[in-house]
Amino acid sequence: MALNPNPWPPRTRRISLGDVNIVIPTLNEEKAIGLVLEELFSIGVKPEQVIVVDGHSTDRTREIASSKGVRVILQEGKGKADAIKTVLRYIDKPYTLVMDGDYTYPAYEIPKLVEKASRGFDEVIGARVNGRENIPLLNRLGNWIITKVFNILFGTNLRDVCSGMYLVNTRILREAPIESRGFSVEVDIAAKVASLTGRITEVPISYRKRIGEKKLRIIHGLYIVKDLVRLAWRYNPASLIFILGAVLTIPGIVIDSWVLLELLLYGIKRHVWATLGTLLTLTGLLSLALSIIAVYLKRFEYRLNQKLAIIHDMLEELESRLRSKS
Ligand SMILES: Nc1nc2c(ncn2[C@@H]2O[C@H](COP(=O)(O)OP(=O)(O)OP(=O)(O)O)[C@@H](O)[C@H]2O)c(=O)[nH]1
Ligand SMILES: [Mg+2]
């Protein structure tokens, strides 16, 4: 059973680099931020498109970024997720590209993401395929586990949901609040897109060795897994109810079969076990039935969102026609 079916093909829409805000969260990245910005300018990004959202760095990060002519804002709250929440108010382009400020994600990969988004996707993740050796081994393992769990819970087929470079439709980004904290922001946004429209994909990109000191710790990986389950409950409960159903039904059937076999072969009656087995089986089957209803509701939500997106695009077109006439 497909837990996250999207019956609608993506709608194409021409997007150029000029339609994109580049958002760079930074925390003490003085060694890298200058290089990151210079590289962005070299591919044709204009300084006014770039927003550096800083987490109160104690080094020269903000000073260096300001000297390059980009917008620099101080984040509210703490952590990377709060930084993205803060920057939402400043975004003025229809698409938002988020990338780290540590020079790991090459700017020359951005056009690939923009081109893919033109084919109607609401999120395009830059999957770190080349240069994987530059991701620390423990992070690689953590990313792999998180991506697998994400794929099971949200019915996607992603390779690198934790990538720090992704392009998102700004409207969808604003649609539901980001509730996760810190480094869970990537899975939070991906969960939102996967469940609201299902139009999420990846393009392979290269990844370089980090300049400067890393901020991600092992404990953050555990927080991300916890957030994943919470997000699945919020956005795609069908998957969790389905897993619960399967987990309860299997031991239920095993216990019932054993009780029945003992009764038929030896005439032994095991009332307590029989009740327990029946309870587990019935609860499990009920959960499975509920998950099927939840899948249909999800499909209905997709259709509704698709229709809303069409109305939104029509209104935008009408507005721009009216503006050009007046
Ligand atoms: N605004 C803001 N940015 C942060 C914060 N923590 C980290 N960042 C930035 O977010 C980006 C990602 O952080 P990294 O330390 O590179 O973490 P990562 O990319 O997940 O992991 P590695 O690069 O492999 O260590 C970097 O540009 C950091 O400077 C924060 O609390 N606030
Ligand atoms: Mg990084």
Side-chain angles (χ1 to χ4, degrees), residues 9-296:
R11 287 169 314 119
T12 55
R13 183 182 190 187
R14 274 259 64 85
I15 309 162
S16 66
L17 191 58
D19 297 320
V20 181
N21 272 131
I22 313 284
V23 166
I24 311 175
T26 55
L27 182 61
N28 296 330
E29 301 289 1
E30 67 177 3
K31 292 198 183 105
I33 191 66
L35 285 169
V36 173
L37 295 173
E38 287 301 337
E39 197 183 22
L40 280 169
F41 301 152
S42 76
I43 65 150
V45 171
K46 304 267 177 297
E48 56 271 21
Q49 276 172 261
V50 182
I51 313 174
V52 168
V53 50
D54 187 64
H56 301 262
S57 295
T58 48
D59 65 3
R60 295 177 55 241
T61 304
R62 289 195 297 280
E63 190 188 317
I64 297 169
S66 297
S67 74
K68 303 280 179 195
V70 301
R71 273 183 280 176
V72 179
I73 57 169
L74 263 181
Q75 76 164 91
E76 285 161 19
K78 267 182 90 168
K80 209 173 162 187
D82 280 347
I84 304 294
K85 270 193 257 179
T86 306
V87 88
L88 281 181
R89 257 176 282 136
Y90 299 84
I91 293 171
D92 47 19
K93 304 275 183 199
Y95 284 82
T96 304
L97 181 122
V98 181
M99 67 190 284
D100 286 2
D102 56 7
Y103 201 63
T104 44
Y105 294 90
Y108 59 76
E109 301 284 15
I110 296 175
K112 266 200 234 168
L113 277 77
V114 175
E115 199 279 325
K116 191 82 180 211
S118 296
R119 298 191 213 167
F121 290 100
D122 290 318
E123 178 169 356
V124 182
I125 299 172
R128 293 165 288 180
V129 169
N130 304 315
R132 287 191 67 75
E133 64 282 1
N134 295 323
I135 309 174
L137 193 65
L138 214 57
N139 291 22
R140 236 181 293 166
L141 179 70
N143 286 345
W144 184 81
I145 295 172
I146 291 164
T147 304
K148 289 281 171 217
V149 175
F150 186 94
N151 284 337
I152 292 170
L153 293 177
F154 291 94
T156 47
N157 194 16
L158 301 172
R159 277 177 294 181
D160 191 10
V161 75
C162 297
S163 170
M165 184 189 258
Y166 47 97
L167 180 69
V168 201
N169 181 335
T170 305
R171 193 172 59 78
I172 306 285
L173 193 60
R174 291 190 207 276
E175 199 127 300
I178 294 166
E179 288 169 352
S180 301
R181 307 205 50 79
F183 289 92
S184 298
V185 64
E186 281 85 24
V187 293
D188 193 302
I189 294 169
K192 192 169 14 181
V193 178
S195 64
L196 285 179
T197 71
R199 296 187 302 219
I200 182 167
T201 189
E202 289 176 333
V203 291
I205 61 160
S206 303
Y207 188 74
R208 294 182 295 220
K209 215 174 165 53
R210 196 192 203 300
I211 299 181
E213 193 196 320
K214 61 184 285 171
K215 320 289 173 324
L216 189 74
R217 308 260 172 271
I218 296 173
I219 187 77
H220 294 130
L222 300 178
Y223 284 139
I224 299 175
V225 173
K226 187 192 93 205
D227 279 332
L228 249 180
V229 176
R230 191 183 47 75
L231 287 161
W233 184 245
R234 178 183 164 155
Y235 287 115
N236 198 19
S239 59
L240 283 187
I241 303 172
F242 183 81
I243 291 167
L244 182 78
V247 165
L248 292 179
T249 312
I250 295 164
I253 291 174
V254 170
I255 293 172
D256 279 344
S257 311
W258 169 66
V259 169
L260 199 69
L261 215 67
E262 291 234 306
L263 181 71
L264 293 178
L265 291 181
Y266 313 111
I268 304 170
K269 292 177 183 160
R270 297 192 186 273
H271 297 292
V272 178
W273 281 106
T275 315
L276 182 74
T278 312
L279 264 176
L280 285 176
T281 311
L282 285 181
T283 318
L285 289 177
L286 203 68
S287 300
L288 292 178
L290 271 176
S291 68
I292 293 171
I293 297 170
V295 165
Y296 277 100

